[in-house]
Amino acid sequence: MTTSSATQIRLAKNTPGIPDASFWNFTHDPVEAPKEGEVKIKLHYISIDPAMRGWMTPIRSYMPPVQIGEVMRAFGIGEVIESKNNQFAVGDFVHGFTGVQTEASLDATFLRKLNLDDAPLDVQMGGLGWPGFTGYFGMTDICNPQPGDVVVVSGASGAVGEVACQVAKYAGAYVIGIAGGEKKCAYLRDELNLNAVIDYKNDDVKAKLKEVAPKGVDVYFDNVGGDTLNTVLGMIRYKARIAVCGAISQYANMDKPQGPGNYMKLISSSGTMRGFTMKDYLMQIPEASQQLATWYNEGQLKVQTHVVDGIENFADTLQMLFHGKNFGKLMVKL
Ligand SMILES: NC(=O)c1ccc[n+]([C@@H]2O[C@H](COP(=O)([O-])OP(=O)(O)OC[C@H]3O[C@@H](n4cnc5c(N)ncnc54)[C@H](OP(=O)(O)O)[C@@H]3O)[C@@H](O)[C@H]2O)c1
């Protein structure tokens, strides 16, 4: 039974906007030994997610908001260093809600044991982890792409988007990726072999979409919301499916989000637009995990990760997401 000292990052304020350093307090509180059913873990990676902006916003959502003074919620990957749970042994690597901290004693109920043979840990945080599962279930279950369908994915080069794009390609769809800047678009075109790409920072999205999808869009996997969602809605075809995965363009002003004026297109096209979170798919995670690991190890799934060193860089790293400065799954390595 050991008590050790660690670093925690706690929420200092919960106002709107892109969170800068003033939103966080660092503490160095001792970590208690694990109680019955718990494990104590040493964190190796902390996931940096757009959802953090939502978790720190004091409105009702799919999870209770993080309170001021609490350790910031985050997914993490850690190594078990003490165990009071017979499902986990010292030396096991686990993934789950660990918080932004260097060590923690956690209820092991919701921790998932990782198989180190599947892929490197950063990849298991990204395309083979939660963002990959999100892209996989959103695309297979909600979008259900058929051979020849025209599928559009925004945020296409990101952690969720790149998996959604590749799942749609395997289904035989014609896939169009939307991302910001030539580097990300080149990745989509040359590495993921998408059928067309749109650089929303430099192209006229509406004009380009008309050029590459003259007959319209069957499926839209939306990661960004805002103008892009509205533009694609205006071009949907009969029985189109739209998966509302995220709306990162709106997260800094959650009090006044921009709605899609073209929503009535859903009526004339008998289209569906459905939101989801991974909460809907918790029981099916083993299916996605196995499928994505198989594709990855066969060389059929590409996964991009972006690793920043040091918990002290947490605030700057989180901001990168909202300026498009990450390229692939963003995380802090400890
Ligand atoms: N529903 C769920 O269960 C679930 C789970 C995980 C994630 N998500 C959502 O999925 C989306 C992608 O998450 P991720 O973890 O994969 O992040 P990510 O795509 O790896 O990183 C975020 C990217 O968003 C783009 N972006 C930032 N501001 C933007 C803006 N104003 N307009 C358009 N694009 C913007 C940037 O790429 P560019 O350089 O291309 O602009 C940035 O790199 C987010 O909306 C997130 O909230 C949902």
Side-chain angles (χ1 to χ4, degrees):
M1 295 264 286
T2 52
T3 299
S4 51
S5 151
T7 299
Q8 303 85 21
I9 297 187
R10 296 177 186 276
L11 187 64
K13 67 181 194 191
N14 57 12
T15 50
I18 296 173
D20 61 16
S22 68
F23 282 68
W24 313 108
N25 280 330
F26 281 63
T27 57
H28 301 284
D29 295 338
V31 182
E32 299 295 324
K35 300 187 188 68
E36 211 47 54
E38 292 186 342
V39 292
K40 186 173 185 176
I41 62 167
K42 178 181 182 315
L43 270 292
H44 286 242
Y45 289 96
I46 291 170
S47 179
I48 307 295
D49 288 290
M52 288 170 148
R53 180 55 270 191
W55 295 337
M56 55 195 279
T57 302
I59 55 173
R60 196 182 148 137
S61 184
Y62 66 103
M63 297 190 90
V66 177
Q67 301 296 312
I68 288 175
E70 281 182 356
V71 174
M72 182 57 198
R73 180 180 297 138
F75 287 111
I77 290 179
E79 182 180 357
V80 175
I81 54 174
E82 247 182 281
S83 180
K84 280 291 182 65
N85 185 307
N86 58 18
Q87 304 292 312
F88 296 90
V90 170
D92 282 348
F93 279 82
V94 293
H95 175 274
F97 277 123
T98 59
V100 185
Q101 50 195 336
T102 55
E103 263 186 33
S105 283
L106 302 168
D107 178 352
T109 314
F110 299 109
L111 294 175
R112 190 168 56 90
K113 206 184 290 188
L114 299 179
N115 180 354
L116 296 183
D117 294 332
D118 278 351
L121 289 176
D122 61 323
V123 173
Q124 298 208 44
M125 184 73 102
L128 266 57
W130 212 251
F133 305 155
T134 305
Y136 177 86
F137 287 119
M139 186 53 79
T140 54
D141 189 46
I142 297 180
C143 298
N144 187 23
Q146 301 300 308
D149 272 355
V150 175
V151 172
V152 177
V153 179
S154 58
S157 73
V160 173
E162 67 171 348
V163 173
C165 285
Q166 291 176 86
V167 170
K169 281 284 286 181
Y170 300 142
Y174 177 93
V175 183
I176 302 164
I178 305 179
E182 177 48 26
K183 186 178 167 195
K184 292 181 179 182
C185 287
Y187 172 70
L188 296 172
R189 194 171 44 235
D190 303 336
E191 302 286 326
L192 303 193
N193 297 314
L194 300 196
N195 301 91
V197 294
I198 300 176
D199 176 354
Y200 78 94
K201 288 186 174 163
N202 294 298
D203 293 330
D204 174 335
V205 175
K206 192 171 172 185
K208 191 77 196 263
L209 196 51
K210 279 190 173 155
E211 180 190 319
V212 296
K215 292 184 179 161
V217 171
D218 299 291
V219 163
Y220 178 44
F221 189 106
D222 186 25
N223 282 313
V224 305
D227 289 339
T228 304
L229 169 59
N230 202 37
T231 300
V232 181
L233 254 176
M235 289 191 61
I236 55 175
R237 298 173 74 177
Y238 183 62
K239 296 266 177 175
R241 288 85 68 201
I242 298 180
V244 185
C245 176
I248 193 166
S249 72
Q250 304 301 306
Y251 291 171
N253 51 315
M254 302 271 272
D255 44 342
K256 283 192 216 126
Q258 176 189 343
N262 284 332
Y263 80 96
M264 283 188 286
K265 201 72 204 280
L266 292 165
I267 305 170
S268 56
S269 66
S270 302
T272 53
M273 184 161 157
R274 199 178 122 197
F276 71 102
T277 73
M278 272 302 299
K279 262 183 150 179
D280 304 336
Y281 299 103
L282 292 179
M283 303 312 287
Q284 291 150 266
I285 283 178
E287 165 203 325
S289 178
Q290 194 180 14
Q291 179 63 83
L292 293 171
T294 302
W295 280 336
Y296 177 79
N297 286 309
E298 288 173 354
Q300 294 188 63
L301 179 75
K302 296 209 163 113
V303 171
Q304 196 81 21
T305 64
H306 189 144
V307 180
V308 175
D309 279 321
I311 195 168
E312 67 280 8
N313 293 314
F314 167 73
D316 288 348
T317 309
L318 180 57
Q319 289 191 52
M320 289 167 68
L321 286 174
F322 302 97
H323 300 297
K325 290 191 174 157
N326 65 306
F327 186 7
K329 174 68 202 125
L330 187 60
M331 65 197 84
V332 167
K333 187 173 191 303
L334 307 183

